[in-house]
């Protein structure tokens, strides 16, 4: 089976969050199941630099008025199609914002072009290769199925919602500029409260909708979490699936992690403490070995609840702990955290920005990871934390509620607890959870039990990959013979 995955980011080439981790690791999980994934991504500068030697497959002369070259290459086992369109992608900043943190004004076109190219590939634009199924991810590639259906291409499509809060909402005036007929602006396709929504278009035209945890699949059917799309999802609930994300056990392995001063595993957990001092040195915190280190690695947004850490830092620091926060996002939240850290020199550090080596060091040297998300489709940071002997402190929502077992008396007695959950998701709720974690840390045997149980949990892609494979096979079997051809690659 041959899959075309269409994504705006993919690890290790380009990453802003968990989407890249998923699109980078899922193909590896599917390969042993007889499923070959080819990923189409934009030719950002970072991507072109890492692509190295590549083969030019074809030229697109007119993608919504833009020219583009389709290149083929591979990086770390990933089979890649790169849409090289310098006018759209060769610019400073991240995939979505410029160097000043502002959305690229033409994001609508940048990702519509990506989707249109994917639709043409799905329809056979590449001689000798037609995918059996197309898998799109979030609003940035959701228009793929809209273009496919407009052009009469019936190849099955799966769309995954990684975060329904981001919907690709734009003015309805763009419909003709998207190369679509007027009827595309309808309640059954793109129309969304007087505007258009790329994500809604994808949800209406894909064959199956998946999201990244069963709990989140249920939550987004409600007005509170559906973000205006709960009506659409309830109409299509029969094709909605929740599949928990996995993690790449090769990338996130404390026993072999090249970014850790001292590697360790569950049998040598005591070695984890050798990473504490390098971590404290990295962030300029007091070198004493007393008290726990609480950390957060997150986008600094309202959704992630990171603003609550500015109000609850005193709970940790006044009880002998230290705090490390790594990430970037909303300027006001960044400033509130920086001001809080300034009041606690040597006890709290805030690093604005993100890079993989730092994230690995934080997981390898901290005692607890805090994720107070107001909503969380799945979350990967808490899964990395479990593997690295960090005890998660999480809100009870979405995938966090499914992947962390609260350290209540029953769970501790049964030796299954892996962290601390709190609800309601308020500042006071977080404060009480931090207090529970601090109390547990004062009991070394209890803390070690939580660490050991967490490190025993298995959140690899094996089971989730099998679930995706089952969805794929079901759709391909139902497809007409013309869409299920097994073609050879001629590149």
């Amino acid at each position: 089976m041959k899959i075309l995955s269409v994504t705006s980011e993919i690890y290790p080439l380009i990453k802003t969050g968990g989407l890249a981790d998923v699109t980078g690791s899922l193909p590896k999980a599917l390969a042993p199941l007889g499923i070959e994934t080819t990923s189409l991504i934009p030719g950002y500068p970072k991507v072109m630099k890492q692509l190295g030697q590549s083969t030019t497959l074809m030229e697109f002369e007119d993608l919504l008025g833009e020219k583009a070259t389709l290149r083929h290459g591979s990086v770390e086992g990933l089979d890649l199609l790169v849409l090289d369109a310098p006018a759209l992608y060769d610019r400073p900043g991240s995939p979505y914002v410029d160097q000043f943190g502002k959305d690229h004004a033409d994001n609508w076109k940048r990702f519509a072009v990506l989707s249109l190219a994917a639709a043409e590939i799905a329809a056979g634009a590449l001689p000798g290769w037609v995918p059996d199924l197309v898998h799109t991810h979030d609003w940035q590639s959701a228009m793929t199925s809209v273009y496919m259906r407009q052009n009469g291409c019936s190849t099955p499509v799966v769309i995954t919602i990684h975060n329904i809060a981001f919907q690709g909402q734009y003015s309805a005036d763009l419909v003709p500029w998207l190369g679509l007929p007027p009827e595309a602006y309808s309640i059954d396709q793109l129309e969304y409260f007087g505007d258009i929504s790329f994500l809604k278009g994808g949800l209406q035209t894909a064959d199956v909708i998946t999201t990244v945890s069963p709990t989140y699949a249920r939550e987004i059917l409600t007005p509170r979490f559906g973000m205006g799309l709960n009506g659409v999802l309830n109409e299509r609930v029969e094709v909605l699936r929740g599949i928990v994300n996995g993690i790449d056990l090769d990338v996130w392995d404390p026993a072999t992690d090249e970014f850790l001063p001292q590697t360790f595993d569950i049998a040598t957990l005591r070695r984890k403490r050798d990473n504490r001092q390098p971590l404290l040195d990295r962030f300029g915190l007091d070198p004493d070995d007393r008290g726990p280190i609480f950390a957060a690695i997150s986008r600094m947004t309202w959704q992630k609840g990171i603003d609550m850490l500015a109000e609850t830092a005193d709970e940790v620091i006044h009880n002998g702990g230290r705090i490390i926060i790594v990430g970037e996002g909303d300027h006001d939240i960044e400033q509130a955290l920086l001001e809080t850290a300034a009041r606690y020199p040597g006890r709290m550090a805030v690093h604005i920005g993100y890079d993989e080596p730092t994230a690995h060091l934080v997981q390898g040297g901290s005692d607890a990871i805090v994720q107070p998300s107001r909503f969380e489709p799945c979350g990967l940071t808490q899964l990395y934390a479990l593997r690295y002997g960090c005890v998660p402190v999480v809100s009870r929502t979405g995938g966090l509620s499914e992947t962390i077992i609260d350290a209540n008396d029953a769970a501790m007695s049964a030796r299954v607890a892996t962290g601390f959950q709190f609800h309601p998701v308020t500042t006071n709720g977080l404060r009480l959870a931090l207090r529970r974690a601090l109390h547990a840390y004062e009991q070394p045997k209890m803390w070690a039990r939580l660490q050991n149980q967490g490190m025993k949990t298995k959140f690899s892609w094996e089971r989730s990959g099998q679930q995706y494979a089952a969805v794929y096979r079901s759709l391909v079997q139902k497809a007409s013979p013309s869409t299920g051809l097994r073609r050879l690659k001629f590149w």
Side-chain angles (χ1 to χ4, degrees):
M1 191 186 303
K2 302 186 186 303
I3 307 301
L4 175 65
S5 174
V6 192
T7 178
S8 58
E9 54 185 270
I10 187 169
Y11 181 83
L13 284 85
I14 186 77
K15 173 179 174 177
T16 70
L19 169 61
D21 287 330
V22 172
T23 56
S25 55
L26 180 56
K28 300 176 185 177
L30 293 171
L33 304 176
I35 297 174
E36 298 178 5
T37 304
T38 299
S39 300
L40 175 67
I41 58 173
Y44 311 116
K46 285 185 178 180
V47 170
M48 299 307 297
K49 182 178 180 180
Q50 296 175 78
L51 184 62
Q53 186 175 5
S54 63
T55 303
T56 298
L57 298 182
M58 65 175 294
E59 302 284 344
F60 289 103
E61 293 298 327
D62 184 10
L63 291 173
L64 304 184
E66 301 291 341
K67 292 185 177 183
T69 302
L70 188 66
R71 304 188 187 279
H72 174 258
S74 61
V75 176
E76 295 192 17
L78 295 171
D79 191 50
L80 302 171
L81 295 176
V82 177
L83 191 64
D84 185 11
L88 296 175
Y89 308 125
D90 187 8
R91 57 182 69 173
S94 83
Y96 318 119
V97 301
D98 61 24
Q99 64 269 43
F100 307 108
K102 301 294 184 181
D103 285 354
H104 295 296
D106 59 347
N107 271 345
W108 66 271
K109 188 174 189 179
R110 298 169 75 234
F111 297 111
V113 162
L114 176 70
S115 297
L116 180 56
E120 295 199 13
I121 294 168
L126 285 176
W129 188 75
V130 177
D132 297 306
L133 180 142
V134 177
H135 191 161
T136 65
H137 299 268
D138 275 352
W139 74 267
Q140 293 92 342
S141 59
M143 288 290 287
T144 300
S145 53
V146 175
Y147 285 121
M148 288 171 62
R149 302 317 181 219
Q150 285 289 336
N151 295 333
C153 178
S154 59
T155 299
V157 177
V158 173
I159 184 171
T160 295
I161 305 169
H162 296 265
N163 191 333
I164 204 168
F166 302 103
Q167 302 178 354
Q169 185 174 354
Y170 296 103
S171 168
D173 295 338
L174 290 176
V175 170
W177 295 97
L178 291 169
L180 294 170
E183 55 265 28
Y185 182 65
S186 69
I187 194 170
D188 295 325
Q189 282 202 46
L190 294 176
E191 191 278 329
Y192 185 69
F193 298 104
D195 289 334
I196 59 173
S197 165
F198 284 22
L199 181 59
K200 182 187 175 185
L203 298 178
Q204 293 282 39
T205 52
D207 297 278
V208 165
I209 302 165
T210 71
T211 192
V212 290
S213 74
T215 295
Y216 193 59
R218 293 189 294 269
E219 288 178 342
I220 59 178
L221 296 173
T222 68
R224 178 182 177 189
F225 292 100
M227 305 289 177
L229 288 171
N230 49 290
V232 173
L233 292 165
N234 274 283
E235 289 179 359
R236 304 214 65 204
V237 67
E238 73 281 356
V239 298
L240 177 63
R241 308 279 187 273
I243 301 175
V244 174
N245 283 339
I247 62 174
D248 190 322
L249 300 184
D250 294 326
V251 173
W252 292 92
D253 184 355
T256 60
D257 196 326
E258 63 180 347
F259 299 125
L260 297 185
Q262 176 62 66
T263 57
F264 61 94
D265 57 22
I266 192 169
T268 58
L269 182 56
R270 65 186 182 280
R271 294 180 186 170
K272 177 180 170 72
R273 294 192 69 84
D274 294 337
N275 294 313
R276 288 171 64 90
Q277 196 55 54
L279 176 65
L280 295 173
D281 292 342
R282 166 70 176 81
F283 289 93
L285 296 182
D286 292 344
D288 67 82
D289 200 37
R290 299 174 307 225
I293 301 172
F294 285 78
I297 308 170
S298 174
R299 284 186 290 111
M300 296 181 183
T301 62
W302 179 89
Q303 177 213 328
K304 296 294 186 177
I306 298 299
D307 53 294
M308 291 188 284
L309 286 173
E311 303 174 55
T312 56
D314 61 310
E315 187 69 40
V316 173
I317 293 168
H318 291 166
N319 284 280
R322 280 153 292 185
I323 298 174
I324 294 170
I325 302 176
V326 175
E328 59 187 344
D330 184 274
H331 176 73
D332 291 340
I333 294 176
E334 291 178 357
Q335 286 303 117
L337 291 168
L338 288 168
E339 290 170 6
T340 304
R343 293 200 301 270
Y344 298 111
R347 308 302 296 179
M348 178 174 176
V350 176
H351 173 74
I352 304 301
Y354 176 87
D355 63 84
E356 285 289 307
T358 299
H360 284 247
L361 178 60
V362 170
Q363 294 279 15
S366 299
D367 297 295
I369 290 291
V370 185
Q371 284 180 268
S373 302
R374 292 182 170 92
F375 65 93
E376 188 63 65
C378 178
L380 292 174
T381 303
Q382 83 279 10
L383 304 184
Y384 303 146
L386 292 173
R387 188 153 170 79
Y388 279 63
C390 275
V391 178
V393 179
V394 304
S395 51
R396 188 179 301 142
T397 187
L400 299 177
S401 66
E402 293 184 349
T403 55
I404 303 302
I405 300 175
D406 183 65
N408 55 57
D409 289 343
M412 288 301 297
S413 296
R415 295 179 179 269
V416 296
T418 58
F420 299 89
Q421 291 188 5
F422 67 94
H423 189 82
V425 187
T426 62
T427 300
N428 192 53
L430 174 58
R431 185 181 296 279
L432 293 174
L434 292 171
R435 196 172 295 170
R436 292 174 61 206
L438 286 160
H439 177 70
Y441 186 82
E442 293 173 354
Q443 304 173 67
K445 289 185 178 180
M446 180 179 182
W447 194 261
R449 190 182 306 166
L450 287 169
Q451 289 179 297
N452 276 272
Q453 188 59 40
M455 294 184 77
K456 289 178 182 176
T457 57
K458 301 297 182 183
F459 285 102
S460 73
W461 270 106
E462 183 176 356
R463 182 170 181 271
S464 299
Q466 291 172 348
Q467 290 177 299
Y468 273 110
V471 170
Y472 291 173
R473 290 195 177 102
S474 174
L475 290 175
V476 171
Q477 287 170 3
K478 291 177 183 176
S480 65
S482 62
T483 62
L485 293 176
R486 292 179 177 273
R487 305 285 183 87
L488 297 175
K489 284 185 181 178
F490 289 172
W491 66 77

